Amino acid sequence: MNNQTKSFLTTCVFLFMIIMLNGCVTSSYFTLTENQKPPIVPDTIAVISGSASEIDIHLANKLTEELSNTKFKVMSQEQITKIIPDYPLNIINFTCEGKKFKQPYISDESKKIVDAMQSKLKVKYVLLIWNNGVGTVTYTNRYGQQSGKEVEVCILTRFLKYPEATIVGYSFFCDSKSLGFFFMINQEKKIAKTVEELLNKGVKKIVKEIVKNTENPAGKK
């Protein structure tokens, strides 16, 4: 296990945030914004971590890796860091709760940071990704006794197109997984592994949906 993986697993255990209860009956791994017509024409793209947290950095790395298997010309995270030395930085200064969770909302301040980064990266698209909540949910039976526990992660993206500097697509979803009957054994390791599985699953589904909305999705890279 390399140092980066160890650091990520540690973060999963010690930096849990309380899940934001968005009441999201509907969700989408990736959807086009209103009035945006497919297809998206594959071009240069940079995946940007929404914050300097280990979880968001992990998401950006995995998303970069998955997009590299598509027709997009993906800038590596190392290339981004060379051009923007202080990357990753804290871009997201807002939370998406309630109706905002299902909308392609981004604050003016965060948008300005992304636009400034793009002006240096000079890519056609920027895909901003961050977690909107990671934590455990406990269920109780009618007697008030704990009947189960599961991990839940919520992920958001903003797919921006330039030079228009507009959001043409976005993601909003929460995924969860039961910790199983043997949760009390190796709790920290179990939680960390489950979080990583959910994050990676979410990234794969995001890319799958993006590809469906691209020009000639069945074609080769």
Side-chain angles (χ1 to χ4, degrees):
M1 182 181 295
N2 58 40
N3 290 334
Q4 184 177 8
T5 302
K6 287 181 180 178
S7 179
F8 170 72
L9 294 178
T10 301
T11 299
C12 289
V13 176
F14 295 108
L15 292 186
F16 264 156
M17 295 176 288
I18 297 174
I19 284 293
M20 298 168 186
L21 299 177
N22 299 294
C24 50
V25 177
T26 60
S27 64
S28 175
Y29 290 104
F30 183 79
T31 186
L32 297 176
T33 53
E34 188 176 0
N35 299 323
Q36 177 64 35
K37 297 179 180 180
I40 295 172
V41 180
D43 206 312
T44 54
I45 187 170
V47 178
I48 300 297
S49 172
S51 78
S53 77
E54 292 289 344
I55 292 177
D56 284 358
I57 292 171
H58 177 83
L59 283 169
N61 282 324
K62 293 300 294 184
L63 190 48
T64 297
E65 179 184 321
E66 291 295 325
L67 277 173
S68 296
N69 297 318
T70 69
K71 296 173 69 178
F72 287 93
K73 300 173 184 176
V74 189
M75 181 173 285
S76 71
Q77 293 294 297
E78 290 76 15
Q79 287 175 305
I80 296 173
T81 302
K82 285 182 180 179
I83 298 171
I84 306 174
D86 57 345
Y87 174 80
L89 59 154
N90 294 318
I91 299 172
I92 305 303
N93 66 347
F94 59 92
T95 58
C96 288
E97 301 177 75
K99 292 182 179 180
K100 275 187 181 180
F101 184 75
K102 305 173 187 178
Q103 299 173 350
Y105 173 81
I106 188 171
S107 70
D108 292 339
E109 294 81 2
S110 295
K111 177 68 162 43
K112 286 178 181 178
I113 295 174
V114 175
D115 290 346
M117 293 176 71
Q118 186 279 336
S119 69
K120 296 179 180 179
L121 300 174
K122 303 187 184 305
V123 290
K124 181 71 173 179
Y125 301 108
V126 169
L127 183 48
L128 179 66
I129 186 167
W130 74 98
N131 80 87
N132 199 56
V134 176
T136 57
V137 180
T138 301
Y139 298 98
T140 56
N141 57 29
R142 59 180 179 176
Y143 303 108
Q145 300 170 322
Q146 181 176 323
S147 58
K149 182 172 284 192
E150 65 182 27
V151 168
E152 185 173 66
V153 301
C154 296
I155 299 173
L156 300 176
T157 71
R158 301 290 182 263
F159 193 100
L160 295 95
K161 180 182 179 182
Y162 293 85
E164 297 89 340
T166 57
I167 296 173
V168 296
Y170 60 109
S171 307
F172 57 99
F173 65 91
C174 294
D175 273 341
S176 61
K177 183 177 180 180
S178 172
L179 290 168
F181 294 106
F182 301 102
F183 168 63
M184 297 309 293
I185 302 174
N186 297 322
Q187 292 186 45
E188 294 181 358
K189 185 176 180 180
K190 182 74 172 179
I191 291 174
K193 182 179 179 181
T194 304
V195 171
E196 186 172 19
E197 287 176 356
L198 289 172
L199 296 178
N200 294 347
K201 171 188 171 186
V203 166
K204 287 180 180 293
K205 289 192 174 183
I206 289 171
V207 173
K208 182 178 180 180
E209 293 303 312
I210 289 176
V211 169
K212 284 183 180 179
N213 287 284
T214 59
E215 183 181 53
N216 188 23
K220 295 293 184 180
K221 182 177 175 181

